[in-house]
Amino acid sequence: MAAELFAGQYVWHPAADDRELASVCVEVRAGRYLGAHGLLAETRDDPGLRAHRSLVLASEAADSDLAERWLAEEPSPEAALLWARVAVLRALRAVDAGDERARPLERIALKACARATVMAPHDPTPWVARLALARLHKIREPAPQGLLTAPPGPWQLFSHILRLEPFHREGHHRFLAYFFTRHRGSANAAWDVAAFLSQRAPATSPLRLLPLVALVESYNPAQALADRVWEQPQWRSTALAAYQNWLPEVAGYRFTPVLDLAYLAHALVMGQCVFEGRAVLTAMGPYASRMPWSVFGEPEEQLSRARRACGLPAPGAA
C-alpha cells in the first residue's frame, strides 16, 4: 500500500499486505485448515516465505486443537510443520509464564519438530522451530573462528540450517536471540554474533540489520545518553549501508518486510538520519510491528513519534 494512501491508522497484523495469509488466518481462527494447506504447500520452494507464513498461522492456531486435528485427519508435511510451530510456541509461552507444564510441552515440541523434519527432510523450517527451543538450555558447543568473544551455543544445529538454506532470515534471528541477555546471554556476545553473521551475508540482504537488532536488545534506559548510542558512527554507518543497499530491494519483495523495515527506520531516526528514515517509514506504509518500538515505550506512541520526526502523518495528529 502506497504511503500516500495512509489513512491514519496502523495495521498491526503480522500478515501485513499478504492478503492470502490474512484470509487464511481468518479460516484458521474459525477452525478450518484447508486454506492453510494450500497456502503452505505453495511455499515448498520458498523457505523464507514458508517460515513466515507458518509462524503467523501458528500464532493463530496455538489456542485451538486445529494443528493436532489436521495432522490426525490429513497427515502431510504442511500439517506436521504447523503442529511443530504450534507446539514450540506453546512450550515457549509456558516457559516465559513460569507454567509448570513447560517441560512436558517442550518434550511434545521436540517430538513435533522431529516428525516434521522426517516428513520434509529438505525443509529448514522445522529445524528453525527447534532452534527456537535452544534458549531453554545452556548449550556449550564451541564457536567457529572469527568471533572475538567465541561464545558457545547451538552452533551445530545452526550449521545444519545453513546447509539447507545459507541465508535463512528467521534461522539467523533465532540463533542471535540465543545470545540475548534476557535469555542468559550477554550484550557483548550478541554484538559479536550479530556482526559475524551480518558480515557473511550479501550487502543486499536484510541480515545486514542483525547488529541493529542486537543494539535494541542491549538498550538500557538507565545508562547515561542511552538514546544517543544510535548516533555513534558504527551504528549510523550500519543503518545507512542497509538503507543504501537493502532498501532498494524491498520494492521487488512479494510482501512488505515490516519488521526489518521497522528496525531500520528506528535506527535511522535515532541516528538523526531523518531523510533516510522518512523513506523507510514510507516504504512501510500503514503496516506496523511491536518491535523494536515496544522496547522504548508504548509501540504505537513510539512509532508515531518517529513518523512525526520525519514529517509523516500519524494517528491522532492534528
Side-chain angles (χ1 to χ4, degrees), residues 106-180:
E106 182 190 358
R107 289 194 291 269
I108 292 172
L110 288 170
K111 291 179 180 178
C113 290
R115 179 167 182 174
T117 61
V118 169
M119 296 189 73
H122 300 295
D123 181 6
T125 322
W127 296 99
V128 171
R130 182 178 172 182
L131 181 59
L133 297 170
R135 67 175 175 87
L136 307 183
H137 305 280
K138 204 64 179 175
I139 302 173
R140 307 297 298 178
E141 295 164 2
Q145 293 183 347
L147 288 94
L148 295 175
T149 60
W155 289 96
Q156 292 182 22
L157 177 54
F158 182 57
S159 295
H160 181 73
I161 293 169
L162 297 187
R163 286 193 291 271
L164 295 172
E165 182 64 27
F167 302 111
H168 196 284
R169 183 200 172 279
E170 186 188 342
H172 280 73
H173 279 264
R174 292 290 187 187
F175 185 68
L176 176 60
Y178 176 88
F179 300 95
F180 289 165

Side-chain angles (χ1 to χ4, degrees), residues 8-33:
Q9 297 296 326
Y10 299 127
V11 178
W12 294 94
H13 196 283
D17 52 351
D18 185 341
R19 304 299 171 82
E20 293 178 87
L21 176 57
S23 177
V24 172
C25 283
V26 175
E27 295 182 21
V28 168
R29 287 195 297 271
R32 301 190 296 271
Y33 56 74

Side-chain angles (χ1 to χ4, degrees), residues 97-109:
D99 193 318
E100 61 183 11
R101 298 172 297 171
R103 281 297 178 88
L105 286 173
E106 182 190 358
R107 289 194 291 269
I108 292 172

